Amino acid sequence: MRKLIVANYKMNGNKKLFADIVKKINKYKVKDTKIVLCPPFVYLDEFKIKSNSVFLGCQDITNIDNSKSTGQISPNMLHEFSVKYVIVGHSERRSLGENDELINEKVHVCINNDLMPIICVGEKKKSDKLDAVLTQIQSALKGIEKSYVPIIAYEPVWAIGTGKLPTVSRINKVADMIRSYISDLGYKNSVVLYGGSVSAQNYDEIINANIDGLLLGGVSLKFDEFIEIVKGIDHV
Ligand code: PGA
């Protein structure tokens, strides 16, 4: 299966940086990966992508189907910019108060509107039990058709932006646990990504884990390092 590499620019970047990233990504010939770029909403229009292996994503979506919603972004607005993927339930949004119920509503909004949610889950502390991860998955997928293929990004909160990484064997253990849990819930397939402190220096170790791709934060802003990771995965 083609590996999925997701760039989460978070609340970073500006027109100049994104124009440069788009110019460079449009020149890169993707071989065997799928790339998803997730800029802040206000920059979506800067992303005129010319490759059919590079897709546009965003970092959030509304949970309500009502135009009287100041500040919210609807699926139709995202379709106007050809957005295909939506990061849902990132720990940085959970820490702003998003709970499992709200995340489940957002997953429904995505799926009902032909957008693919990338559902982020992860334990807060390294010493935390992993049951919390399964609870997050179960809540996020409540009421979602079994024919759907969930995309789950395993992102231990303690590894995000800290330079601390789980071992490959821990990633394998959690990825296997996630897959078998999703299968027990009745889904035939799933896509499991890893995210948290992946860099050009450590990705080659991480990508040997039993995962279907990566969710990259900080390193996405440094195009040379980002493309080094993409190339390393793309050309194997
Ligand atoms: P990081 O962020 O790669 O900067 O640790 C990952 C994420 O938050 O998705």
Side-chain angles (χ1 to χ4, degrees):
M1 194 173 77
R2 287 165 88 192
K3 297 256 194 240
L4 184 63
I5 303 177
V6 183
N8 175 13
Y9 297 112
K10 309 193 180 186
M11 197 174 69
N12 294 299
N14 50 43
K15 280 191 174 196
K16 189 170 174 296
L17 178 85
F18 291 133
D20 188 52
I21 287 179
V22 172
K23 199 165 120 200
K24 288 178 175 159
I25 203 86
N26 278 337
K27 282 196 188 137
Y28 178 72
K29 299 252 175 302
V30 184
K31 220 176 118 199
D32 203 25
T33 51
K34 262 193 198 175
I35 299 172
V36 179
L37 305 176
C38 304
F41 293 125
V42 291
Y43 296 119
L44 284 171
D45 203 28
E46 309 295 317
F47 284 70
K48 307 274 187 327
I49 303 295
K50 294 197 184 123
S51 159
N52 51 18
S53 295
V54 182
F55 302 87
L56 201 48
C58 64
Q59 302 171 21
D60 192 21
I61 191 166
T62 186
N63 63 316
I64 17 190
D65 184 13
N66 180 346
S67 63
K68 289 181 190 136
S69 300
T70 303
Q72 298 276 42
I73 301 288
S74 75
N76 285 345
M77 293 171 186
L78 297 174
H79 283 306
E80 278 212 279
F81 296 94
S82 304
V83 168
K84 300 279 182 246
Y85 293 83
V86 183
I87 297 174
V88 178
H90 191 283
S91 63
E92 287 157 10
R93 296 209 58 84
R94 290 181 193 259
S95 74
L96 293 174
E98 287 200 5
N99 59 21
D100 285 339
E101 198 185 346
L102 181 77
I103 290 162
N104 175 248
E105 286 170 8
K106 291 185 176 189
V107 172
H108 277 272
V109 169
C110 287
I111 290 170
N112 293 340
N113 290 283
D114 213 14
L115 291 160
M116 274 176 277
I118 299 168
I119 303 164
C120 299
V121 298
E123 74 282 9
K124 284 201 179 119
K125 287 196 247 117
K126 200 173 178 176
S127 54
D128 283 352
K129 291 227 172 68
L130 292 167
D131 304 9
V133 172
L134 301 184
T135 306
Q136 288 172 337
I137 295 174
Q138 195 238 341
S139 309
L141 294 176
K142 218 182 238 163
I144 299 296
E145 291 265 332
K146 304 297 178 195
S147 55
Y148 167 71
V149 179
I151 306 176
I152 305 291
Y154 169 53
E155 298 209 299
V157 181
W158 55 269
I160 296 178
T162 58
K164 292 185 194 140
L165 281 166
T167 58
V168 170
S169 75
R170 184 178 167 105
I171 297 175
N172 283 338
K173 181 178 149 200
V174 182
D176 287 347
M177 186 185 84
I178 291 174
R179 283 196 187 93
S180 77
Y181 184 70
I182 290 178
S183 146
D184 289 348
L185 290 178
Y187 298 89
K188 287 208 177 62
N189 258 313
S190 55
V191 173
V192 181
L193 313 179
Y194 169 77
S197 289
V198 179
S199 69
Q201 287 73 46
N202 62 27
Y203 79 92
D204 49 347
E205 196 186 327
I206 301 296
I207 203 66
N208 285 326
N210 178 21
I211 48 172
D212 305 306
L214 297 169
L215 202 167
L216 305 172
V219 74
S220 319
L221 293 156
K222 303 175 213 148
F223 189 80
D224 292 348
E225 289 184 38
F226 173 75
I227 210 70
E228 193 181 324
I229 298 175
V230 172
K231 275 186 190 159
I233 296 167
D234 205 19
H235 289 102
V236 282

